[in-house]
C-alpha cells in the first residue's frame, strides 16, 4: 500500500529530485547481474569503433536507476503500475582519471513532477526528466502509480 495521500498531490509539484552517480564499476556490476556483457559497456576501443564517444551505460541500468528513487518516495514499489520511457541519448561513462574504477564519472539527474492526478480513483501520473550533463538521456518518461 502506497504511503502517498493522492488527495494532496498537485499537478506540477516536484516529488523527487535526485542525482545518481555512475562509474565503470556500476557497469560491471550491472553486466554481471543482467548477463549483458556487450563490449560497448566496457571496452572503449570497441565503443569508439561502432561510433560511440566512449563506453555507455546499459539502457536498462539507466531505467532502473531512475525508478528507484520514485519507488522510495512512494514507500511501496508495488504502487507502480506502469513505467515507460524512450532512450534519447546514450549515457557516456568515461573511465576515472584517478582513483578506483568505482569512482563515479557521470551521473543521472532526475526530476519527477506530478503530471496528472485522479484522487477519486487513487491514481497519478508522474513525469520524469532525466539528464546526463546537458543531454536529455531518457525522454517521455512516465510512471503511473496507484494507491
Amino acid at each position: 500500500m502506497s504511503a502517498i495521500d493522492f488527495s494532496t498531490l498537485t499537478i506540477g509539484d516536484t516529488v523527487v529530485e535526485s542525482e545518481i552517480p555512475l562509474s565503470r564499476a556500476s557497469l560491471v556490476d550491472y553486466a554481471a547481474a543482467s548477463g549483458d556483457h556487450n563490449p560497448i559497456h566496457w571496452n572503449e576501443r570497441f565503443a569508439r569503433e561502432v561510433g560511440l564517444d566512449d563506453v555507455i551505460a546499459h539502457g536498462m541500468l539507466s531505467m532502473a536507476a531512475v525508478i528507484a528513487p520514485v519507488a522510495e518516495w512512494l514507500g511501496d514499489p508495488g504502487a507502480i503500475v506502469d513505467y515507460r520511457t524512450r532512450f534519447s541519448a546514450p549515457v557516456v561513462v568515461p573511465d576515472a582519471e584517478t582513483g578506483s574504477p568505482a569512482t563515479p564519472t557521470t551521473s543521472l539527474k532526475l526530476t519527477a513532477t506530478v503530471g496528472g492526478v485522479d484522487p477519486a480513483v487513487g491514481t497519478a501520473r508522474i513525469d520524469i526528466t532525466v539528464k546526463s550533463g546537458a543531454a536529455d538521456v531518457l525522454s517521455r518518461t512516465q510512471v503511473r502509480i496507484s494507491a
Side-chain angles (χ1 to χ4, degrees):
M1 181 72 165
S2 173
I4 304 301
D5 178 358
F6 284 72
S7 68
T8 64
L9 295 178
T10 303
I11 293 173
D13 283 353
T14 297
V15 294
V16 178
E17 287 184 298
S18 185
E19 186 167 347
I20 302 152
L22 293 174
S23 66
R24 291 284 178 94
S26 306
L27 305 185
V28 170
D29 291 344
Y30 185 81
S34 69
D36 182 351
H37 300 284
N38 187 318
I40 63 174
H41 304 303
W42 57 270
N43 184 311
E44 294 167 16
R45 181 182 45 77
F46 184 85
R48 288 189 175 111
E49 284 176 2
V50 298
L52 298 168
D53 292 335
D54 206 333
V55 166
I56 63 170
H58 304 75
M60 294 296 116
L61 169 60
S62 300
M63 206 171 160
V66 165
I67 198 64
V70 175
E72 185 177 323
W73 164 71
L74 282 168
D76 175 14
I80 297 169
V81 295
D82 186 54
Y83 177 35
R84 58 187 67 200
T85 193
R86 288 186 179 212
F87 301 103
S88 49
V91 177
V92 176
V93 182
D95 197 11
E97 293 290 325
T98 60
S100 75
T103 302
T105 57
T106 196
S107 64
L108 297 173
K109 295 179 183 175
L110 71 100
T111 303
T113 58
V114 178
V117 182
D118 188 342
V121 178
T123 62
R125 188 189 78 236
I126 307 300
D127 299 331
I128 305 173
T129 60
V130 183
K131 293 185 175 284
S132 181
D136 288 317
V137 294
L138 299 180
S139 60
R140 294 186 177 176
T141 306
Q142 295 181 337
V143 180
R144 192 166 49 90
I145 59 175
S146 179

